[in-house]
Amino acid sequence: MAMTQIAVIVGSLRRDSYNRRLAQALEKLAPHDFQFQYLDISQLPLYNQDDDKQQAEVVLQFKQAISDSQALLFVTPEYNRSVPGVLKNALDHASRPYGKNVWAGKPAGVLGASIGAIGTALAQQHLRNILAYLDAPTLGQPEVFLKVDDKFFAEDGSVANEGSRKFLQGWMDAYAAWVKKHAA
């Protein structure tokens, strides 16, 4: 069985990030032929167009990992009603220089978790707008705006609540179908 490589980009650098934990919980709900590769965005330098002619090795490795994947999974918090700066920096690096956008054509899923009442609704909307421009076809429905706390996750890293787990399984099933439909 051929494996489908999913590049996972978590928009938080925090070691115990709810969004990293959510990505890991989603992995448990994914089809057996999905392989998740978590891409490290913490080491990317701040994007500077002056560097486009000679991108740093860490940027080239990041772009290669995206190129090698068949699909994208973005799991992000919301900072100040938008995407975290570190995530925007990663998006910019992998789309530059002009004409060398490695996001293009990669089917994407977007979701996130927060302790706030609206989950990550605004960050996801901003990210969807960016991904539309970058030509990454993004799953529109179902949407996932999760309010979480430490009790949301079981000790084994799965989702503790059965209703939440079923809801996320429905999202994963839709995402898997989206990837299979749109992956090159």
Side-chain angles (χ1 to χ4, degrees):
M1 175 185 293
M3 297 299 282
T4 301
Q5 186 72 30
I6 309 295
V8 181
I9 300 93
V10 177
S12 173
L13 301 182
R14 191 168 66 89
R15 181 178 47 252
D16 294 326
S17 161
Y18 286 132
N19 287 281
R20 181 167 312 284
R21 292 170 70 185
L22 176 58
Q24 292 165 341
L26 283 169
E27 192 172 347
K28 297 173 187 298
L29 303 174
H32 296 301
D33 61 337
F34 275 28
Q35 184 175 24
F36 291 75
Q37 180 184 11
Y38 290 78
L39 304 187
D40 182 7
I41 62 175
S42 70
Q43 301 303 309
L44 296 173
L46 290 176
Y47 175 73
N48 181 338
Q49 191 174 7
D50 291 340
D51 298 331
D52 279 359
K53 290 182 181 167
Q54 189 168 0
Q55 292 180 307
E57 185 62 31
V58 67
V59 172
L60 295 173
Q61 290 171 358
F62 178 69
K63 290 176 73 170
Q64 188 61 54
I66 295 164
S67 291
D68 292 345
S69 69
Q70 285 79 51
L72 310 165
L73 177 61
F74 291 91
V75 188
T76 187
E78 182 170 298
Y79 293 173
N80 300 315
R81 300 286 192 249
S82 191
V83 296
V86 68
L87 176 56
K88 181 63 167 80
N89 187 55
L91 291 161
D92 291 344
H93 271 298
S95 68
R96 304 296 298 183
Y98 184 80
K100 305 287 184 181
N101 173 20
V102 297
W103 304 111
K106 304 282 181 180
V110 173
L111 67 162
S114 169
I115 60 172
I118 63 170
T120 59
L122 293 173
Q124 288 186 47
Q125 187 58 50
H126 290 175
L127 180 54
R128 289 172 188 280
N129 289 341
I130 295 165
L131 292 172
Y133 176 76
L134 296 177
D135 195 27
T138 305
L139 176 68
Q141 295 292 327
E143 294 178 304
V144 175
F145 310 118
L146 293 175
K147 180 179 179 181
V148 300
D149 58 23
D150 286 328
K151 296 175 186 169
F152 187 84
F153 301 99
E155 285 188 31
D156 68 355
S158 64
V159 177
N161 176 283
E162 182 65 25
S164 295
R165 189 169 41 256
K166 283 183 179 179
F167 174 71
L168 287 171
Q169 184 66 65
W171 184 90
M172 179 52 74
D173 294 345
Y175 173 69
W178 181 258
V179 167
K180 289 175 182 178
K181 179 178 179 182
H182 294 282

